[in-house]
Amino acid sequence: MLQPHADLSRLLIVHSGAIGEILPVCDVTSPGVSPSGSTDMDTMDIEEQDPLATGLTEVDGRKRDEDGDRPGCCGRFQRSISKWMLPEQSRNKYLERANCCPPPIFIILISIAELAVFIYYAVWKPQKQWVTLDEGIWNSPLTYKPDMRDEAWRFISYMVEHILGNLVMQLVLGIPLELVHKGFEVGMVYLAGVLAGSLASSIFDPLNALVGASGGVYALMGGYFMNAVVNFREMIPLLGVFRILVILIIVGTDVGFALYRRFLSDDAGMKVSFVAHIGGGIAGMTIGYVFFSSYDHKLLKDPRFWLCIVGYLVFLVFAVLFNIFLSPAP
């Protein structure tokens, strides 16, 4: 510590970027005091000052600015994700707590499960070709079939048996969504879309089967689409236009192809319903939009959340009663 008569000394700390230079204002010499007016202990105190004093913080051995910018691949990736997925006022909050661990577990696991089931029924069985709706798929205990709708698990399990397009789309869109909103929210939206797709198909197209995860994928796309539209002015305009156009092109192409297979194709065998696309999309534009637009807000305090939940439950009860008492399917 300084001697009592050393209180007249002052230290002027001048910052230049990240470098602090210590300039003495006056010299006070006394026993145990250096010519600059400080002791060895003072030097240690200055060296041990809070790193915030230099305008930098230490994170995992790397330095980052106080505004949350991180160098490295993970930091650049997170910044890109925030620009694609969040309005401007939520990005700083996301970057403060974002990290690449844990990885997007839900989307990865559900994709692996879908791929494994498809390989078992379409390849290992074996089947004639990689993409097939032949005997093995139709006879699977997971496919939704109107005459077996009393086996309730088929309303969910049908999602694992149609692979290429759905798998690519849910990975491309689902992984960034899960990095931002985490697995619970993305999982809830995805499964809500799967169930809404099968129930809507059982009501509006009750005589046709279902395979594939289109309901879940369209729920993710519907939620992201609504978020991009509603927050368009708060996101980067060019990226906003690009996102909306890409989703419209993908949806238009996929639904058009599904309608062709359903009504115009001469392929023999059971037709595949297209209504799951619409049901999943509506679930995404309601429940998905609420989940994906409430990044900084408590869902339980959001009236939109309860409105969507009540509406979804009403639809669920009606669909169950319809399948029990009114369905024309055998």
Side-chain angles (χ1 to χ4, degrees), residues 199-233:
L199 290 175
S201 181
S202 70
I203 295 173
F204 298 104
D205 197 12
L207 301 180
N208 289 285
L210 281 178
V211 291
S214 296
V217 173
Y218 271 70
L220 298 181
M221 285 197 294
Y224 180 64
F225 175 79
M226 286 297 296
N227 196 21
V229 170
V230 172
N231 296 310
F232 180 81
R233 293 184 178 180

Side-chain angles (χ1 to χ4, degrees), residues 2-323:
L2 291 173
Q3 299 297 325
H5 60 275
D7 290 340
L8 297 175
S9 64
R10 296 291 185 268
L11 294 176
L12 176 61
I13 301 177
V14 179
H15 290 282
S16 177
I19 302 175
E21 182 183 356
I22 303 174
L23 301 177
V25 174
C26 63
D27 275 344
V28 179
T29 59
S30 61
V33 181
S34 66
S36 63
S38 63
T39 63
D40 294 338
M41 184 65 71
D42 293 321
T43 303
M44 292 176 62
D45 291 341
I46 293 171
E47 291 175 350
E48 294 174 1
Q49 284 181 355
D50 189 338
L52 286 172
T54 64
L56 298 172
T57 58
E58 197 75 26
V59 177
D60 296 331
R62 297 182 179 181
K63 292 184 177 181
R64 67 175 182 178
D65 297 335
E66 287 179 328
D67 62 4
D69 291 339
R70 303 182 190 181
C73 294
C74 185
R76 289 193 295 269
F77 179 67
Q78 296 289 1
R79 285 196 296 272
S80 299
I81 291 297
S82 69
K83 292 178 181 178
W84 276 92
M85 296 293 168
L86 291 171
E88 186 174 1
Q89 71 270 17
S90 299
R91 291 174 196 162
N92 288 337
K93 183 74 171 179
Y94 167 71
L95 291 172
E96 287 175 4
R97 63 189 188 188
N99 56 71
C100 294
C101 295
I105 296 296
F106 174 80
I107 288 295
I108 291 175
L109 290 181
I110 203 70
S111 299
I112 292 174
E114 291 170 1
L115 182 61
V117 170
F118 183 83
I119 289 174
Y120 175 76
Y121 282 105
V123 179
W124 193 48
K125 271 296 214 183
Q127 295 298 317
K128 297 178 181 178
Q129 54 186 350
W130 175 251
V131 180
T132 178
L133 295 176
D134 209 340
E135 200 74 23
I137 293 294
W138 291 126
N139 292 334
S140 164
L142 304 177
T143 300
Y144 171 79
K145 301 174 78 173
D147 57 341
M148 295 183 178
R149 65 187 184 281
D150 55 324
E151 298 175 351
W153 69 82
R154 292 176 181 265
F155 284 91
I156 293 289
S157 63
Y158 77 94
M159 69 179 177
V160 299
E161 292 192 302
H162 183 51
I163 192 68
L164 293 180
N166 289 336
L167 193 63
V168 170
M169 182 53 61
Q170 72 186 28
L171 288 172
V172 169
L173 184 59
I175 287 178
L177 281 171
E178 192 169 346
L179 283 170
V180 173
H181 300 284
K182 302 307 178 185
F184 175 77
E185 287 86 354
V186 173
M188 290 293 293
V189 173
Y190 187 89
L191 294 177
V194 170
L195 185 57
S198 60
L199 290 175
S201 181
S202 70
I203 295 173
F204 298 104
D205 197 12
L207 301 180
N208 289 285
L210 281 178
V211 291
S214 296
V217 173
Y218 271 70
L220 298 181
M221 285 197 294
Y224 180 64
F225 175 79
M226 286 297 296
N227 196 21
V229 170
V230 172
N231 296 310
F232 180 81
R233 293 184 178 180
E234 300 172 9
M235 294 184 175
I236 300 174
L238 184 60
L239 290 180
V241 172
F242 177 75
R243 285 190 295 261
I244 293 172
L245 286 178
V246 167
I247 292 176
L248 291 176
I249 291 172
I250 292 173
V251 170
T253 303
D254 190 45
V255 171
F257 183 63
L259 290 172
Y260 170 79
R261 288 186 303 173
R262 174 66 177 83
F263 296 109
L264 302 177
S265 176
D266 295 329
D267 292 343
M270 186 175 290
K271 300 289 186 179
V272 178
S273 177
F274 66 94
V275 179
H277 299 66
I278 300 173
I282 293 175
M285 289 190 292
T286 52
I287 294 178
Y289 166 65
V290 172
F291 272 92
F292 298 156
S293 65
S294 300
Y295 180 76
D296 284 329
H297 308 288
K298 299 293 184 181
L299 275 177
L300 297 181
K301 296 182 180 180
D302 190 338
R304 298 174 304 168
F305 171 76
W306 293 110
L307 182 63
C308 289
I309 292 298
V310 170
Y312 190 85
L313 291 177
V314 169
F315 166 72
L316 183 65
V317 171
F318 172 79
V320 171
L321 294 176
F322 179 88
N323 278 277

